[in-house]
């Protein structure tokens, strides 16, 4: 009932599937898990089985985590639960790292009391000629259990549900399909390279999913925002299979704020009717209007506002001129060539304080190259302007190094020892052993411990070279090697007390006036998200402890290689000259293991320096279009208040 009301209300009139937006994916996951638990309990009371359709991938992991907690702490039993998983790669051995059988065991089944005979997952080992028979039997089993009570879904960037890629029919049933190229790219990191991703998968069909009595589709993060808009507001089409859910009588879309960002009610709510305007919304709306009309802010007219659903702002501020000036001034004040504050200047409208004139700064870099990729220009300026700049490399980044680079480096050490007649035997034995381990490694297998170590060292020397190039001494490069990261796999451990202790200790040792951190939440492996969490938790602890230096510390968030802050969220914009941009590029070049072709490129095939430059010049262009000064490039930061 609630959902129905939300669905028909004014601000959701573009939404064709009932959609709920939560502050965070954790809040959303807890709600979904409780809904599932409620269903399991209700069925148990009636002595009935509860038939669940389950998904894998990064989206449902917190839901499974909460279900496990409910089982362990609140006695939720899975004895009456029967499960059918959506899909499995084909071919796939059940014990392989990437298998969905293994995924489900690790995240849910082995931690609850479900009966093994009640678990069903498509079998990636069935011989090709038996696949069709297997699929028909899978469908028959679902039917024999009385059909799915609830199907849980994630969504791919292609709009796939299950592995029903674009082109899948509404009536399709469980079958073998070919994965879309985008899906293969997205899976590349799990398989240590695109070439190792299976080309096919067995998936329940769209028809199988739509036959479930209830469907919940979840999505988290900025990376899903565009496809969510299409799924929820677009026309039903086989180009985006998730749009088929619009025809389901009881489907709900559950989102966090980031994945909801492109929905009309979030992006341009003023187009839907009267809204309660606030400071940020006005800024967002004015920027949107100027961009849409390709007009500088100061040239927007009353008529422009009236014609675009923003007439009520005019009533409040009496003229376009007043609003324009206000937003323009605010944007202008974000621009500063003095990211560490301008000494002896009036700082009342500047992003940073003038005092102390020489600040201690820590740049937290989740991977060893994020410092220069994301804020290399600002890093250079801070050093040039005499601040004491430290970099804290949070993780070793060791999974992202190619195997042949390891052999090359060990070969160098071997030859180096030979050339100078040092401990020959030990290094040549090591060289042979490492070469053998690399050669014997199966695709998708985890590296041997010493290979992981060498990969970490390769990245460490690159980071140090980057620091030296920018102009800071090795002693200011701190390698934290946070333990949560050190699994040798894409799947990491949860953040632990040791990760926080290491971060707190460094902060206390340096007592910074400025902390720069990656506020980028959509890197494909979630490492940035966890690294940010580590900083927030460390700062929270220091706050609880009433740490004196913290009162004089600003936190600035930069965004990683994947995207930039929206202009309305920028609190500090640091312009870069063409020369500074070139220096930034050269600092990025020091990360040779990531050059030409990184091991984990994500969904953008350009090199990191190209992405960084196009993003920084893109921001400069946006400022220019809005009528602000024209710069070569701009790095953008958002202040985090704690
Ligand atoms: C997984 C599945 C897929 C995923 C989708 C999103 O069983 O069928 O449809 O739900 O690819 O994946 P994540 O959650 O990893 O973004």
């Amino acid at each position: 009932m609630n959902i129905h009301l939300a669905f028909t209300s004014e601000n959701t009139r573009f939404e064709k599937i009932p959609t709920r937006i939560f502050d965070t994916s954790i809040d959303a996951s807890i709600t979904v898990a409780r809904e599932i638990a409620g269903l399991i309990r209700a069925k148990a009371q009636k002595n009935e089985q509860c038939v669940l359709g389950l998904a894998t991938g990064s989206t449902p992991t917190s839901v499974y985590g909460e279900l496990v907690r409910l089982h362990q702490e609140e006695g939720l039993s899975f004895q009456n639960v029967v499960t059918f998983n959506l899909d499995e790669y084909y071919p796939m051995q059940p014990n392989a790292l990437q298998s969905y059988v293994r995924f489900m065991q690790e995240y849910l089944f082995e931690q609850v009391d479900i009966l093994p005979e009640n678990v069903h997952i498509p079998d990636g080992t069935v011989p090709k000629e038996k696949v069709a028979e297997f699929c028909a039997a899978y469908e028959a089993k679902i039917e024999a259990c009385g059909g799915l009570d609830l199907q849980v879904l994630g969504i791919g960037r292609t709009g796939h549900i299950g592995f029903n890629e674009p082109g899948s029919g509404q009536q399709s049933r469980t079958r073998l399909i070919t994965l879309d190229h985008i899906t293969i790219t997205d899976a590349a990191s799990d398989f240590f390279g695109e070439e190792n991703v299976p080309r096919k998968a067995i998936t329940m069909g769209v028809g199988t999913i739509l036959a479930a009595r209830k469907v919940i589709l979840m999505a988290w993060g900025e990376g899903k925002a565009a496809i969510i808009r299409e799924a929820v507001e677009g026309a039903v089409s086989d180009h985006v299979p998730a749009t088929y859910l619009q025809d389901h009588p009881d489907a709900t879309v559950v989102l966090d704020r980031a994945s909801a960002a492109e929905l009309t009610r979030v992006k341009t709510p003023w187009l839907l009717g009267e809204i309660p305007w606030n400071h940020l919304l006005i800024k967002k709306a004015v920027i949107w209007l100027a961009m849409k009309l390709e007009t500088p802010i100061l040239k927007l007219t009353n008529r422009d506002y009236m014609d675009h659903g923003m007439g009520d702002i005019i009533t409040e501020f009496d003229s376009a001129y007043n609003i324009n000036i206000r937003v323009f001034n605010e944007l202008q004040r974000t621009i500063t060539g003095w990211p560490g504050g301008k000494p002896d200047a009036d700082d009342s409208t500047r992003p940073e304080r003038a005092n102390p004139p020489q600040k201690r700064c820590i740049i937290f870099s989740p991977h060893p190259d994020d410092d220069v990729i994301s804020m290399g220009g600002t890093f250079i300026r801070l050093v040039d302007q005499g601040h004491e700049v430290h970099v804290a490399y949070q993780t070793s980044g060791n999974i992202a190094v190619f195997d042949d680079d390891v052999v090359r480096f060990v070969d160098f050490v071997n030859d180096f020892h030979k050339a100078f007649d040092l401990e020959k035997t030990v290094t040549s034995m090591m060289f042979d052993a490492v070469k053998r381990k690399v050669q014997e490694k199966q695709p998708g297998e985890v590296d041997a411990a010493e290979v992981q170590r060498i990969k970490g060292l390769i990245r460490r020397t690159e980071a140090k070279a980057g620091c030296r190039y920018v102009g800071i001494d090795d002693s200011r490069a701190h390698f934290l090697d946070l333990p949560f990261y050190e699994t040798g796999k894409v799947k990491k451990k949860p953040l632990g007390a040791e990760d926080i202790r290491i971060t707190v200790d460094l902060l206390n040792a340096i007592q910074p006036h400025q902390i720069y951190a990656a506020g980028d939440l959509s890197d494909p492996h979630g490492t940035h998200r966890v690294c940010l969490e580590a900083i927030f938790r460390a700062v929270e602890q220091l706050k609880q402890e009433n740490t004196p230096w913290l009162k004089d510390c600003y936190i600035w968030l930069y965004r990683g290689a994947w995207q930039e802050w929206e202009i309305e969220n920028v609190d500090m914009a640091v312009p870069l000259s063409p020369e500074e941009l070139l220096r930034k590029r050269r600092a990025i070049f020091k990360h040779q293991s990531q050059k030409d072709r990184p091991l984990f490129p994500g969904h953008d095939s350009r090199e990191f320096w190209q992405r960084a430059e196009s993003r920084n010049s893109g921001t400069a262009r946006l400022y220019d279009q809005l009528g602000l000064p024209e710069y070569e490039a701009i790095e953008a930061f958002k202040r985090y208040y704690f």
Side-chain angles (χ1 to χ4, degrees), residues 414-430:
N414 190 25
D415 283 354
F416 177 87
H417 280 176
K418 274 192 215 150
F420 296 98
D421 209 19
L422 309 162
E423 296 172 53
K424 255 187 264 175
T425 42
V426 180
T427 47
S428 65
M429 267 163 55
M430 175 115 183

Side-chain angles (χ1 to χ4, degrees), residues 5 20 110 175 184 308 323 427 429 436 444 481 529 593:
L5 277 180
R20 301 177 66 184
E110 66 190 19
R175 68 204 185 289
I184 291 176
H308 292 87
I323 307 162
T427 47
M429 267 163 55
R436 207 177 42 251
D481 288 342
R529 200 174 12 221
S593 69

Side-chain angles (χ1 to χ4, degrees), residues 3 17-22 25 27-40 50-56 59-60 63-64 67 86 148-156 160-162 208-220 228 231-232 242 244-246 248-256:
I3 284 167
I17 312 175
T19 299
R20 301 177 66 184
I21 305 172
F22 290 81
S25 60
D27 300 342
S29 301
I30 290 174
T31 306
V32 171
R34 294 210 176 129
E35 182 154 356
I36 297 172
L39 188 67
I40 296 174
C50 181
V51 187
L52 299 178
L54 299 178
T56 54
T59 308
V63 173
Y64 298 149
L67 285 173
L86 279 167
L148 300 167
D149 290 308
L150 169 66
Q151 175 66 56
V152 173
L153 297 174
I155 181 171
H160 70 212
I161 45 176
T208 326
I209 294 169
L210 292 180
R213 284 181 273 285
K214 185 175 181 59
V215 178
I216 298 178
L217 181 144
M218 301 176 288
W220 328 129
I228 281 295
V232 174
Y244 290 129
L245 296 177
Q246 295 177 14
H248 191 280
D250 190 1
T252 310
V253 170
V254 173
L255 307 174
D256 66 349

Side-chain angles (χ1 to χ4, degrees), residues 538-567:
V539 168
E540 191 48 43
Q541 182 181 323
L542 291 162
K543 207 168 130 189
Q544 299 296 328
E545 292 164 0
N546 267 326
T547 309
W549 62 262
L550 195 64
K551 296 187 180 67
D552 196 24
C553 180
Y554 279 20
I555 299 185
W556 292 102
L557 301 180
Y558 63 84
R559 282 224 154 152
W562 318 100
Q563 80 202 105
E564 188 50 278
W565 292 112
E566 308 76 22
I567 298 289

Side-chain angles (χ1 to χ4, degrees), residues 46-272:
K46 289 191 267 174
N47 253 334
E48 288 176 11
Q49 284 190 325
C50 181
V51 187
L52 299 178
L54 299 178
T56 54
S58 62
T59 308
T61 52
S62 301
V63 173
Y64 298 149
E66 175 66 7
L67 285 173
V68 169
R69 195 196 64 77
L70 288 171
H71 168 72
Q72 289 169 348
E73 294 174 19
E74 297 182 22
L76 174 68
S77 169
F78 286 73
Q79 297 267 333
N80 68 323
V81 175
V82 179
T83 62
F84 288 89
N85 261 81
L86 279 167
D87 41 23
E88 173 63 293
Y89 291 106
Y90 186 86
M92 179 57 65
Q93 291 301 318
N95 59 352
L97 266 183
Q98 302 80 1
S99 124
Y100 286 167
V101 172
R102 182 163 174 168
F103 177 102
M104 289 309 301
Q105 288 299 341
E106 286 181 6
Y107 279 97
L108 185 65
F109 298 149
E110 66 190 19
Q111 301 187 64
V112 296
D113 61 343
I114 194 162
L115 304 172
E117 62 271 28
N118 285 351
V119 166
H120 307 90
I121 302 179
D123 183 352
T125 67
V126 183
K128 197 113 195 223
E129 62 284 2
K130 295 257 170 72
V131 170
E133 197 182 309
F134 173 86
C135 293
Y138 202 69
E139 289 277 335
K141 266 190 224 154
I142 298 177
E143 204 137 303
C145 291
L148 300 167
D149 290 308
L150 169 66
Q151 175 66 56
V152 173
L153 297 174
I155 181 171
R157 283 192 314 126
T158 57
H160 70 212
I161 45 176
F163 274 138
N164 292 284
E165 298 288 15
S168 298
Q170 188 154 12
Q171 314 298 332
S172 54
R173 291 284 165 173
T174 304
R175 68 204 185 289
L176 186 68
I177 57 101
T178 301
L179 296 174
D180 191 281
H181 180 68
I182 296 181
T183 303
I184 291 176
T185 327
D186 285 350
S189 40
D190 289 339
F191 285 86
F192 300 90
E194 203 177 299
E195 57 281 12
N196 303 322
V197 182
R199 271 23 192 178
K200 293 189 181 290
I202 297 177
T203 181
M204 276 187 197
V206 177
T208 326
I209 294 169
L210 292 180
R213 284 181 273 285
K214 185 175 181 59
V215 178
I216 298 178
L217 181 144
M218 301 176 288
W220 328 129
E222 302 88 318
K224 297 282 170 76
I227 197 67
I228 281 295
R229 182 187 173 108
E230 287 195 54
V232 174
E233 298 189 1
V236 176
S237 141
D238 68 351
H239 293 311
V240 181
T243 56
Y244 290 129
L245 296 177
Q246 295 177 14
D247 291 337
H248 191 280
D250 190 1
T252 310
V253 170
V254 173
L255 307 174
D256 66 349
R257 284 202 177 282
S259 61
E262 289 291 320
L263 293 180
T264 307
R265 75 162 125 151
V266 178
K267 193 174 186 193
T268 50
W270 50 89
L271 297 179
L272 294 166

